[in-house]
Amino acid sequence: MVFKRLLGAMGAGGPSVDTVLDGGAVTPGGILSGQVHLQGGSADVEIEHIGLELIARVEAEHEDGESEGAVVFERFTVGGGFRLAEQERHSVPFSVSLPWETPVSELYGQPLGIVLGVRTELAVAGARDKGDLDPLAVRPLPVQEAVLEALGQLGFGFKSADLEHGHIGGTGQQLPFYQEIELTPAPQYAHVVNEIELTFLATPAGMEIVLEADKRGGLFESGQDTLTRFTVGHHDVGARDWNSEVDGWIRQLVEHRASYGSHATYGHADPYAAGSGYGHHSAHGSGHESGYRSGYESGHGSGHEGHRSGPGLGTAVAAGAAGLAVGVVGGLVAAEVVDEVGDFFEGDDEGGEED
């Protein structure tokens, strides 16, 4: 769906913009391409700047509770420096690379409740308008899909997914938020964990996989969170028995062992090199830190601290029989997710606050 509107900051009779993304979902680190179509208004104007912003709906926790806001996590300049004549039609093609940590918004073509958008900004004669907004669909990288498929084959169910403002300590995280995919436990682990939380932090060479277990408490003890992480290379996709590997990760997570795989940690010269095995690091308690504030355009308050681990509010998606092949729960369909992008970001275009 395309969102087309007149650019209000430039007054009546100003140019309009219509950004059309090329069809199909893209992958983290992949190429996003399309065209920005301009329609001249009632007078000639100088187009100084055409920019694209990648935006995500992100949750944050603070002293007063939870809130949601729009985070701009990447900006691109795709054109400018030309004159647009009265009523002239002009198209600007673009091709840009997504950040490697761009969240996954769909799995096997079904939405996960993650809201991402591409917003177009046009600058004319010193006036800037954040006009056209389009939904962005992102599918998993092969390694991400292999891990998710293995979890499904092992009996884990998809519960929800959300984006949380903050930083996971001890990782190479670059964006001011991280994606958390919450899974219901497989039957063989249901007696020891309430849920498993999964985060992917991709890089050009591979990715960190962060697993956190919400462990059940015993009769005389409370539950606790346990966190561990692994590094895998993109080249590992076809060379691993992912069911066995992932089951080993889960076993280590719930049994508190620290002897699985090699002990290379993120930041070594090449943790993804062939033959290096899996880098690994374990910890107890939450490893999520605050520390990113810039770029958080709150729609419901301001001054949020980084979000610590907690139950997600993403759209619930049921796990299917074949791995994590998903079916949507509660009547949500793809068109409604598109509408949600527009509904959510219309109130955040200028980064203003609501009472």
Side-chain angles (χ1 to χ4, degrees), residues 39-63:
Q39 169 73 58
S42 58
D44 295 359
V45 293
E46 294 293 332
I47 304 297
E48 300 172 353
H49 166 91
I50 303 173
L52 300 178
E53 295 179 335
L54 303 183
I55 307 174
R57 184 183 68 182
V58 176
E59 298 176 6
E61 266 190 5
H62 47 93
E63 292 181 357

Side-chain angles (χ1 to χ4, degrees), residues 30-46:
I31 300 298
L32 175 68
S33 59
Q35 295 197 46
V36 179
H37 300 298
L38 301 175
Q39 169 73 58
S42 58
D44 295 359
V45 293
E46 294 293 332

